[in-house]
Amino acid sequence: MYRELEEWDNARVYLERLVSMSSGSKYMRAYADLADVYLQMGLQDEAWRLAKTMTRMKGGVPRLDYYRGIIFYKLQDFERARFYFVKATEDESKGTPSYLMLGQIHYLKEEYEEAEKTFHRVLEGAPWSFQANYNLAILCERDNRLREAVEHFEYARAVHPFSLDPSLHLIKLYGKLDWSEKRTNLVRKLFGLRPDSREYSFLKANRDEDFNQTLSIYEARFLPGNPSPVSERTRAIIATLREDYPEAIRWYEKYLGSLTDKDEKEKIAQEVLRLEGVLQGKEPLMTPA
């Protein structure tokens, strides 16, 4: 809870206590969480000390290699992280998160073919993996394989129908493929409009017009003078679809200030992180870390 509140000093106290009580035993996630807290506090040396402690642990500890990989991944030592994730995949019953992290490392190192192979390996055992389907969609979209990208995004959206990321990508892809009816229907759902609403009637009537212009007219006609959180969310979505990411982040942050629902806050915070990654030049993937 203190980590979620970004009260790093308090989070550190309890995680250090837990690690000291269970050194080398079952609470492997505590080590990874503690390393994350150290990094948030700028305590790079402490995080490295914790990583070295984990390398000296004896085998037989549940998920030890996976969390060793996570710590080195957080420290951006991708070669050592890769080594431990590969070891973790030897236990097939717990392999999926490790394959997802291996795919992420390939992606960050611009080894795109290897990343794709790794995510397909996940789908062999978990065909409905949200993360693997989403990541494959990003790779397909990057290569302009639009129909493959749509297929994987639609799988991801079927698993998490209220997640923002797949829907936003699909709206753009439907437009590129000239599937205007599917695009308009998905916009309606994302905006939270009733099928019989004036707003949806407007979108349907203009679905074959220039999409950005339609969004601008929609915003001018239906959103002025509407200070509600729903309006802020809609404006953020419109800015994202126009690829005005700084404006989208501004509206999302305003919307976040009004939220009390934990799941919605996490979803919007994740979207802000995604857009920040896009602004830095690389679309983020979904990982278990």
Side-chain angles (χ1 to χ4, degrees):
M1 290 301 296
Y2 282 126
R3 281 185 69 214
E4 188 169 316
L5 293 167
E6 298 184 1
E7 295 186 17
W8 309 119
D9 286 321
N10 288 325
R12 175 185 180 178
V13 167
Y14 287 101
L15 285 165
E16 286 182 338
R17 186 179 300 172
L18 180 57
V19 165
S20 69
M21 290 166 58
S22 57
S23 179
S25 67
K26 60 184 178 180
Y27 295 112
M28 286 296 101
R29 181 173 174 178
Y31 285 83
D33 288 348
L34 181 55
D36 186 54
V37 168
Y38 285 150
L39 291 172
Q40 293 288 350
M41 298 175 72
L43 302 174
Q44 193 89 1
D45 290 344
E46 290 298 308
W48 276 106
R49 180 189 58 77
L50 199 63
K52 289 174 182 176
T53 297
M54 291 188 73
T55 62
R56 293 193 294 269
M57 289 180 181
K58 294 181 180 179
V61 178
R63 308 201 74 189
L64 173 59
D65 285 324
Y66 173 73
Y67 282 112
R68 281 169 169 165
I70 290 293
I71 284 191
F72 283 111
Y73 172 81
K74 289 179 182 295
L75 289 165
Q76 298 187 22
D77 185 338
F78 295 140
E79 288 309 310
R80 270 196 274 194
R82 190 201 304 254
F83 170 79
Y84 285 116
F85 287 135
V86 169
K87 285 188 68 179
T89 62
E90 294 169 4
D91 181 356
E92 293 182 358
S93 66
K94 298 182 178 68
T96 296
S98 296
Y99 280 121
L100 287 168
M101 293 306 301
L102 282 170
Q104 166 75 350
I105 290 171
H106 286 307
Y107 179 71
L108 292 175
K109 294 173 75 66
E110 300 185 354
E111 300 164 352
Y112 298 120
E113 287 188 18
E114 289 303 313
E116 189 167 342
K117 288 177 186 176
T118 305
F119 294 132
H120 274 296
R121 183 71 180 268
V122 175
L123 294 187
E124 290 174 11
W128 286 94
S129 166
F130 173 80
Q131 293 160 322
N133 276 295
Y134 181 92
N135 295 347
L136 282 167
I138 294 294
L139 290 167
C140 291
E141 186 177 18
R142 177 188 170 277
D143 289 343
N144 208 37
R145 290 146 52 198
L146 302 186
R147 291 176 183 267
E148 286 182 71
V150 164
E151 181 180 353
H152 285 297
F153 277 131
E154 286 180 340
Y155 266 103
R157 187 172 177 274
V159 176
H160 289 302
F162 300 107
S163 179
L164 275 174
D165 302 6
S167 296
L168 289 164
H169 281 285
L170 281 169
I171 288 168
K172 291 183 181 180
L173 289 170
Y174 290 157
K176 290 179 180 179
L177 293 166
D178 293 324
W179 296 350
S180 59
E181 185 173 351
K182 293 188 76 168
R183 179 178 65 184
T184 302
N185 190 47
L186 188 49
V187 170
R188 176 187 71 79
K189 292 176 180 177
L190 207 55
F191 285 5
L193 303 177
R194 299 190 313 273
D196 60 348
S197 64
R198 289 188 307 118
E199 293 92 331
Y200 184 45
S201 296
F202 168 80
L203 291 173
K204 282 197 299 183
N206 292 276
R207 70 186 180 194
D208 294 322
E209 303 298 327
D210 179 84
F211 186 56
N212 283 340
Q213 184 177 355
T214 298
L215 291 175
S216 295
I217 296 171
Y218 179 95
E219 191 171 16
R221 182 175 298 181
F222 297 108
L223 297 180
N226 183 355
S228 70
V230 173
S231 173
E232 291 168 352
R233 184 179 187 274
T234 301
R235 288 178 187 273
I237 290 169
I238 289 173
T240 303
L241 294 173
R242 285 200 304 251
E243 299 186 2
D244 185 351
Y245 301 130
E247 180 73 359
I249 290 170
R250 186 176 74 84
W251 281 111
Y252 278 132
E253 288 177 343
K254 286 190 69 174
Y255 176 54
L256 274 170
S258 66
L259 290 177
T260 56
D261 181 83
K262 179 182 176 182
D263 290 339
E264 180 71 358
K265 287 178 75 171
E266 287 181 358
K267 180 169 66 178
I268 299 303
Q270 177 65 40
E271 179 62 9
V272 169
L273 285 174
R274 182 183 80 86
L275 295 181
E276 289 173 344
V278 172
L279 285 171
Q280 291 168 12
K282 201 168 187 72
E283 179 88 30
L285 300 185
M286 294 285 183
T287 70

